[in-house]
Amino acid sequence: MVYNERETKRGKTLKRTMKFGVIGFVMLLGYFGFLHMKIQQSIHQKIPENANYLIILGARVKGSVPSLSLQYRIDKAAEYLSANEHTVVIVSGGKGPGEDISEAKAMQQGLIAHGIEAARIMMEDKSTTTHENIVFSKELIPDKAASGLIVSNDFHIYRAVEIAKKEGLDMKGIPAKTPKVVLLKSYIREYLAITKYYLTELIGR
């Protein structure tokens, strides 16, 4: 009799645990769905012409060669700069482990290879995070520059623009594509990074 009661209690506890587990999983999927929607909204906005300035956010450099993610950012920025000759560009990114040159230097070289004049390129080569990208680049924005654009891979645009707004900048994003080989990993990491950003803003820096 006692054995049956114990088994009954264990069965109820297991069912309760499974129920909460399923509810938690559904809520997590819903939350990630919300984040994905915000990301998609941010990359489908109309991109204004003749922006005063453009900031390219850094990504990994392999030795002195841009990673595919960074190369896509360089290519997308060069496309806009070629079509909007009065827009200046800030390349933003420091030198990390395994990098022989700074990410900013790699972007500068990449833009020049695309035919963008060196005089249009300003370098910010100290930053190591997205927040630092924005804060340090802000110091280089020309006086009276009202409108700006951020270039990054599509998954990254939403958080970057939100950080820029927090720093008082009126910016929109130009999304570069994300390499397929890192697509899933990039989005999952970004969901976590956005969550960290939300929590940081909630409790204060």
Side-chain angles (χ1 to χ4, degrees), residues 153-164:
N153 301 105
D154 50 17
F155 68 87
H156 193 210
I157 290 293
Y158 169 66
R159 180 164 58 96
V161 169
E162 287 298 304
I163 292 173

Side-chain angles (χ1 to χ4, degrees), residues 3 9 13-14 24 26 32 35 47 84 94 104 116 121 128 133 148 163 165 180 182 191 195-197:
Y3 174 80
K9 288 182 180 180
T13 301
L14 179 60
V26 171
F32 281 174
L35 295 183
I47 299 171
N84 298 271
I116 306 302
I121 306 171
T128 59
N133 285 147
I163 292 173
K165 288 179 181 177
K180 292 181 179 179
V182 297
Y191 296 154
T195 301
K196 181 180 178 181
Y197 170 74

Side-chain angles (χ1 to χ4, degrees), residues 21 31 39-40 45 47 90 101 113 129 136 159-160 162 168 180:
Y31 173 67
I39 290 172
Q40 293 303 307
Q45 296 186 21
I47 299 171
I90 301 169
I101 60 174
T129 66
F136 296 168
R159 180 164 58 96
E162 287 298 304
K180 292 181 179 179

Side-chain angles (χ1 to χ4, degrees), residues 19 42 46 95 169:
K19 180 180 179 181
S42 70
K46 184 177 180 180
K95 179 181 174 182
L169 299 176

Side-chain angles (χ1 to χ4, degrees), residues 99-113:
E99 297 179 337
D100 296 334
I101 60 174
S102 69
E103 295 165 7
K105 185 64 176 179
M107 288 184 277
Q108 180 197 49
Q109 293 176 346
L111 291 175
I112 291 174

